[in-house]
Amino acid sequence: MGFLLLPLLSLILLKPVYALDTLWTRRFDYADETWALGGVDPHTQEAILVGEAYADSNPVFVLIRYNRDGDTVWTRVFDSPYLDWLHGCAVDRAGNVIIAGSMTSGGGVVKYDRNGNLCWYRRVYPRQTNYFSGVTSDESLNIYVAGGRGSNAQLMKLSPAGESLWLKVYDFGYPEEHIVSLSCSDDGSIIGAGKVGLGAEQYDFLIVKWSIDGGVLWYQTFDFQAQDEASELISTNYGIYLVGSAGSYSTPPRTPFSTVLLKYSQDGQLQWVKTFRFGEHYWTLGNGLTIDWQGNLLVLTVISDTAVEQSSVILFQCSYDGDTNWTWCYHQDTINCAYRVRFADSASLYVFGTAMTNGQDCFLLVKLAYPQGIEEGKWRAILMSTSNTVMTGAGLHFSLPGAGDYRLVVRDVSGQERLVYAGYLPAGENRISLPSLPAGVYFLELAGAGVQSRRRLVVVK
C-alpha cells in the first residue's frame, strides 16, 4: 500500500500554543480507568462523562453528570451479566445518554435518561462476535448504532424504547470492515466513518453514507499510510469532516502517527486532506472533532512522547477550509489523554478524557472558555424581531451596520444546524425567509463583517 499524494494535501506543524482560560478541571477516581467519552445535555449545558473502568477485573461503564460549575450531580455504574466494553456514546436532544459497545461477544446498547435512571439495555446477536461503536440519534429520538459483525460492517436502528426497527450487515469487499463514528445529516441520511482492513495489519479510512432506511448511497475509502484509523466524523452544511490518525506501528517503515483531517462533499467527493504533527518524533493521534457556531473546526489530539512515556492534549481550531487558527495544550499530569470535545454553549466547551499521575489513573473533565475570535467592542445585537415566537417559513427582519459576507444559521437545542443564508448582504435592513422547520426551540445565529448575534426562537406551526 503506497503513499497517496494529493494536490490538496498539506502537512502542518502546529502553531504556537494559545492560552485558553480553564474554567475548572475535575478528576474522578474509580478503580482502574481505561478511557472516557462524553456528551452535553442540550437543555442544561451540563456534561455527562461516560467511561470504561475495571472493578475486580470486570469491565464496567461509569457515568458521571456534572453541572455547569463542576459539581457532581450523580454517578452511576452499569454492570451487566456480561463483560461490558465501551466503544461510543452520545447524548440525544432530550438529554438521554446512549452507550454503544459490546457485551462479551454481542453488540451492546445502553440507555440512561438525563436523571441517571437506567431505561434499558440490549445485547444484540451474541452468536457471532460483533460490537457497536458509532452512535447517534435523530429528531424523533430514534437511535442508530454501527460497528462490526465478524468481518463486515453493520448498522442498526432502534426506537426510543429500545425495540429493533432494523439491522443490516454490509460487505464492502474487504477482509475487515469497521464503523466507529456516526452522524445524522439534515436530509435524514446517516453518515459513518471507520476503517477497512487490507491484511498484514494494513488499514484504509472508510466513509459511508446511508439513506434513512439503511440503503448505501455511496462509500469511499482513502489510503494515506500503512495504518489509517478513523476516530470521529461530523456532517455540516460545509461538508463532511473526518478526523483520525495515520502511521505505522509495525509495518515497515515504522512511521510516527500524524493526525489526519479529511473533507468530503455531501455527494462523496474528497475535497482536501490535511495532516498535523507536533514535531518529527512525536505521535500525534487525532481523537475528537466538533464545530463551533461560526463554522470553525475544533480538532482534539493527543501528543505522545514514547521515549519518556508522557503525553499531552492538544486542541486546535481550523477554519472550515482546514487552515489552523490557534492551538491549546493541556499537560498537568504525567499522561494526559482526551477523546472527545463538546460545546456547552458558544462561549465554553468540555474536554473528556483520562489522566495519570504517579501511577494513579482517573477520569478527566476540563471546561474551557471558548474564544469568539471577535473583539468585544464589535459585538452587536442586530436581529430585529418583536417576538421570539415565529411561524415556520416566516420572514426574518434584521438590520446590518455594514455590508459584507454573512452567515445565518438555525441551530436546534442538540447543536445540529441548518444553513439559512451564506453570502453578501448590504448594510441596513434585510429580509430573509426562515426555512421550513419542525415545531420546537431553536437558536438563530448571524455572524460576519465584524458582528455576531444569537437569539432564541420558538417555531410554531
Side-chain angles (χ1 to χ4, degrees):
M1 182 174 60
F3 184 91
L4 179 59
L5 180 65
L6 299 178
L8 296 175
L9 183 147
S10 63
L11 174 65
I12 300 172
L13 296 179
L14 297 178
K15 292 185 176 182
V17 172
Y18 184 90
L20 294 185
D21 292 331
T22 300
L23 301 178
W24 47 258
T25 302
R26 297 293 181 267
R27 294 174 176 83
F28 187 90
D29 181 14
Y30 183 88
D32 294 323
E33 297 84 0
T34 56
W35 70 305
L37 305 170
V40 177
D41 187 323
H43 300 282
T44 63
Q45 291 77 53
E46 296 180 339
I48 301 103
L49 183 146
V50 179
E52 179 187 298
Y54 285 86
D56 297 326
S57 301
N58 177 43
V60 298
F61 303 151
V62 180
L63 297 83
I64 314 159
R65 185 184 182 104
Y66 295 90
N67 66 20
R68 299 180 66 178
D69 296 324
D71 301 321
T72 301
V73 179
W74 48 254
T75 302
R76 301 289 185 269
V77 177
F78 176 82
D79 185 8
S80 78
Y82 313 101
L83 299 178
D84 304 311
W85 306 102
L86 172 67
H87 298 305
C89 76
V91 178
D92 67 20
R93 63 193 59 220
N96 302 304
V97 185
I98 315 299
I99 302 172
S102 60
M103 297 177 179
T104 308
S105 60
V109 188
V110 183
K111 181 175 180 177
Y112 279 82
D113 68 20
R114 60 198 308 269
N115 296 315
N117 300 308
L118 176 63
C119 300
W120 47 260
Y121 75 89
R122 301 288 181 265
R123 182 173 180 241
V124 180
Y125 206 80
R127 293 183 298 277
Q128 184 177 357
T129 299
N130 73 100
Y131 68 92
F132 296 118
S133 284
V135 54
T136 189
S137 64
D138 60 21
E139 293 182 351
S140 302
L141 305 184
N142 294 307
I143 298 164
Y144 299 87
V145 289
R149 176 183 295 184
S151 61
N152 299 127
Q154 64 176 340
L155 176 66
M156 183 178 186
K157 181 177 181 180
L158 300 97
S159 73
E163 295 92 359
S164 174
L165 301 179
W166 48 257
L167 189 155
K168 299 187 178 182
V169 179
Y170 306 89
D171 184 356
F172 299 110
Y174 295 88
E176 293 181 57
E177 299 163 352
H178 309 271
I179 301 295
V180 301
S181 179
L182 283 183
S183 178
C184 284
S185 292
D186 289 340
D187 60 5
S189 60
I190 307 108
I191 304 172
K195 65 181 182 180
V196 294
L198 308 176
E201 297 185 353
Q202 298 186 67
Y203 299 93
D204 289 347
F205 293 112
L206 170 68
I207 182 169
V208 186
K209 188 169 186 176
W210 292 278
S211 63
I212 196 167
D213 60 357
V216 176
L217 299 176
W218 54 259
Y219 75 92
Q220 300 284 359
T221 62
F222 180 73
D223 172 15
F224 189 73
Q225 290 198 13
Q227 293 169 322
D228 303 322
E229 300 182 2
S231 297
E232 190 165 22
L233 166 144
I234 56 173
S235 175
T236 76
N237 290 302
Y238 295 117
I240 302 166
Y241 297 91
L242 166 64
V243 70
S245 307
S248 176
Y249 293 106
S250 56
T251 304
R254 189 172 185 270
T255 306
F257 274 71
S258 299
T259 293
V260 182
L261 185 63
L262 303 93
K263 180 182 180 182
Y264 286 84
S265 64
Q266 288 289 345
D267 61 358
Q269 300 302 308
L270 179 63
Q271 298 186 329
W272 49 252
V273 181
K274 298 195 177 184
T275 64
F276 305 84
R277 190 166 69 237
F278 189 78
E280 293 295 327
H281 305 292
Y282 292 86
W283 287 28
T284 307
L285 303 177
N287 286 344
L289 184 65
T290 191
I291 188 169
D292 71 12
W293 71 278
Q294 292 177 297
N296 297 304
L297 299 166
L298 286 184
V299 182
L300 185 66
T301 67
V302 172
I303 309 300
S304 178
D305 184 347
T306 55
V308 295
E309 295 186 354
Q310 292 186 358
S311 60
S312 302
V313 175
I314 300 288
L315 178 69
F316 56 93
Q317 185 201 70
C318 299
S319 70
Y320 55 82
D321 290 325
D323 298 325
T324 308
N325 297 326
W326 51 257
T327 68
W328 168 82
C329 178
Y330 178 91
H331 186 83
Q332 296 186 16
D333 307 277
T334 304
I335 296 178
N336 309 265
C337 294
Y339 303 97
R340 290 294 180 266
V341 55
R342 295 290 185 265
F343 276 95
D345 50 42
S346 62
S348 62
L349 55 87
Y350 298 105
V351 175
F352 301 86
T354 58
M356 184 174 71
T357 300
N358 298 323
Q360 183 64 48
D361 293 316
C362 62
F363 294 126
L364 176 69
L365 177 63
V366 181
K367 187 174 185 180
L368 301 171
Y370 186 66
Q372 302 297 319
I374 298 178
E375 295 178 13
E376 185 175 356
K378 294 184 178 179
W379 283 55
R380 295 190 183 184
I382 54 181
L383 296 180
M384 298 173 60
S385 176
T386 57
S387 172
N388 282 340
T389 302
V390 298
M391 298 290 292
T392 183
L396 301 173
H397 177 206
F398 52 93
S399 179
L400 299 175
D405 290 328
Y406 290 87
R407 183 172 183 267
L408 180 63
V409 301
V410 173
R411 189 184 303 276
D412 65 24
V413 294
S414 72
Q416 295 289 325
E417 70 172 38
R418 179 177 298 185
L419 182 67
V420 178
Y421 180 84
Y424 177 84
L425 290 173
E429 294 189 3
N430 287 265
R431 292 180 182 273
I432 294 178
S433 295
L434 189 68
S436 178
L437 297 167
V441 178
Y442 297 87
F443 294 94
L444 186 65
E445 299 167 349
L446 177 62
V451 296
Q452 58 184 0
S453 179
R454 188 172 192 261
R455 181 159 189 168
R456 183 175 181 269
L457 290 180
V458 178
V459 174
V460 297
K461 294 293 187 179

